[in-house]
Amino acid sequence: MAEPIELVIVGGGTAGWMCAAACAAKLDRRHYRVRLVESEEIGTVGVGEATLPQMKDFNDFLGLDEVAFMQATQASFKLGIEFVDWGSRGERYIHPFGTFGRPIGEADFFSYWVRAHHDGTAAPLPDYCFPIAAAWRNRFMLPGRRPDEIGSAFSYAYHLDAFLYARSLRRWAEARGIERVEGRIVEVEQASETGAVDAVKLASGERVAGDLFVDCSGFRSLLLGQTLGVELEDWSQWLLCDSAVAVPSVRSDDFTPYTRATRRPAGWQWRIPLQHRTGNGYVFSRADLSDDEAAAALLANLDGEALAEPRVLRFTPGKRRRAWHGNVIAMGLAGGFLEPLESTSIYLVQMAIMQMLTLLPAEPSIDPALRNEFNRVMDVEYDRIRDFLILHYIANEPDSAFWQRACAVDVPASLHDKIERFRHRGYVQAYRDGLFGPPSWQAVLVGQGIVPRRADRLADVLPGDVLQRRLTELARTIAQAVEATPSHERFVADYCPAPAP
Ligand code: FAD
């Protein structure tokens, strides 16, 4: 039998250990030998607490038990993201992990809502969405199994301690044959003819050779960026924030089943409730605020005592021009970074892992067609998220120097056209690859104050009194279902109580 392909993962943050765990679960050790190199001395980025519903799919893919996972990571549930003061100050909306309404007639529910909204007979859009109504009452339950139940049309994600997640995945992966190598990489050896990475050399002198390298080295992008010179495509002309200050605080009584993103004068602040503490951060633009000012503003806006000194992180928004180059595949921060406004980083790691497993070479030589497809898919993922993030920034009151610049950016044509189509009759194209289906766009567009001028023509057909009756019934059904839903606090305490840290 041929020698196994040597796969070396560089970095043991969330990205590295997620990748290692997936390899442990899905690769035959006779064909692939997988090693992970990490340096405790360097450590990990140490932030990243809000996720998307796809994370549950990833855990299911590995075969992790949900309750054990939530206990190990101090996790809570997440039904969506609440945006406070976005659009106009004093307003709030939720981007839910679920759909609006339920089928009423030939058109989709949203089109009927637009029609009733213009007739002056509709309640606000959130009243027709179970996960939003439940979130705002701090209620949570698992989705119902019967499709006709109002409480079945949503999914959920987690707030978790990403450091604990990486640690538990490490235990899990090591128990399944992944070899961990401790040490600081001081040199990367390349083949003189092809430039391919041959090996990484550690400070101890140890040499770790491989056929394929997965760069999970964080912002350093040690292999893809530093060694192979693949540049970052810089998106700061659209996304103006380049820094964050983060601090954990004592958990407050307000145990929300959602992440909160509050608009601030030079960016926005996150609030993420875990079982053992609350995660907080201010994402800001250095051109508008100093680190000290950002830290002071963050500390002044906590709902519990700070548990550590605020920590500053710098970043450039964007992605590497090719995520897979030569024999190096980058994932996590080594491949790119987009601010955590829509909690997308760990999702991007997951997508990269799934693509890598699908396209994994069967022999040491790599067919360029594999690389091309990987890069195409990752480009689509990044581009879609970029446009979605920009959407949040452009439709706001320009009430500070930062917001004047943010509202005035020259948006990518792909986003411009999407918004204009939506303004016309509420059309949002569903796409096959990439994040954010129509309900997500509808939630954020309407939340930011962009409402279609008229409804889809199909929505005109239903008699007005029938439409009115259906909408009233729906809002009532949702309110009743929420009333019967336990509090998030109670649900977590019963379902997955984590031990005190
Ligand atoms: P890191 O955690 O930085 O790990 C890098 C690894 O490489 C470490 O193990 C390090 O030791 C190793 N390494 C580096 N150099 C060497 C060397 N020379 N030798 C040996 N080892 C080396 N994501 C979300 O999904 N949701 C969020 O809410 C969220 N919030 C975020 C907020 C901020 C401010 C930031 C910056 C990021 C956030 N993220 C979020 C992103 C998330 O933190 C990361 O995507 C995720 O943790 C993956 O990080 P990583 O593993 O790529 O990098």
Side-chain angles (χ1 to χ4, degrees), residues 380-392:
V380 170
E381 292 285 356
Y382 269 92
D383 292 354
R384 297 222 195 278
I385 294 170
R386 177 200 65 195
D387 281 6
F388 196 56
L389 294 184
I390 298 169
L391 169 64
H392 296 67

Side-chain angles (χ1 to χ4, degrees), residues 61 194 226 254 262 277 294 395 398 461 483:
F61 174 78
T194 61
Q226 283 185 24
D254 193 15
T262 304
R277 59 170 168 78
V461 181
E483 207 50 53

Side-chain angles (χ1 to χ4, degrees), residues 197-260:
V197 173
D198 280 342
V200 291
K201 242 173 139 176
L202 310 185
S204 62
E206 189 181 351
R207 183 174 178 276
V208 183
D211 300 306
L212 188 65
F213 289 79
V214 186
D215 187 351
C216 298
S217 64
F219 284 128
R220 288 172 189 78
S221 194
L222 195 62
L223 303 186
L224 190 78
Q226 283 185 24
T227 306
L228 299 187
V230 177
E231 284 172 9
L232 192 80
E233 194 174 310
D234 184 339
W235 287 345
S236 45
Q237 78 265 36
W238 294 305
L239 295 165
L240 307 183
C241 291
D242 56 9
S243 304
V245 55
V247 74
S249 64
V250 171
R251 194 186 120 177
S252 77
D253 292 337
D254 193 15
F255 192 50
T256 57
Y258 54 86
T259 304
R260 180 174 295 141

Side-chain angles (χ1 to χ4, degrees), residues 21-92:
C23 290
K26 302 296 170 186
L27 296 186
D28 185 332
R29 271 195 269 162
R30 286 169 305 173
H31 302 307
Y32 296 93
R33 176 183 181 205
V34 182
R35 283 174 293 170
L36 183 147
V37 184
E38 69 173 318
S39 159
E40 263 169 28
E41 183 192 328
I42 294 175
T44 62
V45 70
V47 278
E49 296 161 334
T51 66
L52 293 177
Q54 286 82 353
M55 178 170 242
K56 178 166 168 32
D57 303 336
F58 184 74
N59 288 344
D60 290 348
F61 174 78
L62 296 183
L64 300 185
D65 174 72
E66 181 172 70
V67 171
F69 147 77
M70 292 189 72
Q71 290 173 328
T73 59
Q74 298 283 342
S76 68
F77 289 101
K78 173 177 174 186
L79 291 167
I81 304 170
E82 182 188 44
F83 292 90
V84 177
D85 288 340
W86 294 75
S88 308
R89 295 223 179 263
E91 299 287 329
R92 58 183 63 211

Side-chain angles (χ1 to χ4, degrees), residues 324-448:
W324 184 347
H325 184 68
N327 64 340
V328 174
I329 302 176
M331 41 186 86
L333 301 173
F337 180 65
L338 292 169
E339 60 183 80
L341 188 57
E342 285 284 349
S343 319
T344 45
S345 288
I346 292 175
Y347 162 84
L348 284 166
V349 171
Q350 181 183 342
M351 285 303 112
I353 293 170
M354 302 317 270
Q355 281 305 310
M356 183 191 87
L357 291 179
T358 304
L359 298 165
L360 204 61
E363 57 260 345
S365 66
I366 299 167
D367 190 324
L370 304 177
R371 275 195 295 261
N372 293 345
E373 175 61 4
F374 183 90
N375 290 334
R376 183 193 69 78
V377 171
M378 293 313 293
D379 282 351
V380 170
E381 292 285 356
Y382 269 92
D383 292 354
R384 297 222 195 278
I385 294 170
R386 177 200 65 195
D387 281 6
F388 196 56
L389 294 184
I390 298 169
L391 169 64
H392 296 67
Y393 277 98
I394 53 175
N396 291 286
E397 287 161 349
D399 46 13
S400 67
F402 172 83
W403 286 102
Q404 279 164 17
R405 292 202 323 285
C407 294
V409 299
D410 195 7
V411 300
S414 47
L415 176 59
H416 174 268
D417 292 355
K418 188 154 196 142
I419 295 174
E420 290 315 308
R421 284 193 295 267
F422 182 78
R423 280 191 211 278
H424 177 230
R425 279 189 188 274
Y427 175 65
V428 179
Q429 186 199 355
Y431 32 65
R432 196 172 61 92
D433 293 329
L435 257 183
F436 302 123
S440 294
W441 284 91
Q442 290 158 354
V444 175
L445 282 156
V446 172
Q448 293 290 142

Side-chain angles (χ1 to χ4, degrees), residues 10 40 46 167 228 274-275 282 313 342 347 362 373 447 471 479:
V10 169
E40 263 169 28
R167 198 165 73 181
L228 299 187
L274 310 184
Q275 290 196 45
Y282 188 166
L313 298 117
E342 285 284 349
Y347 162 84
E373 175 61 4
L471 289 176

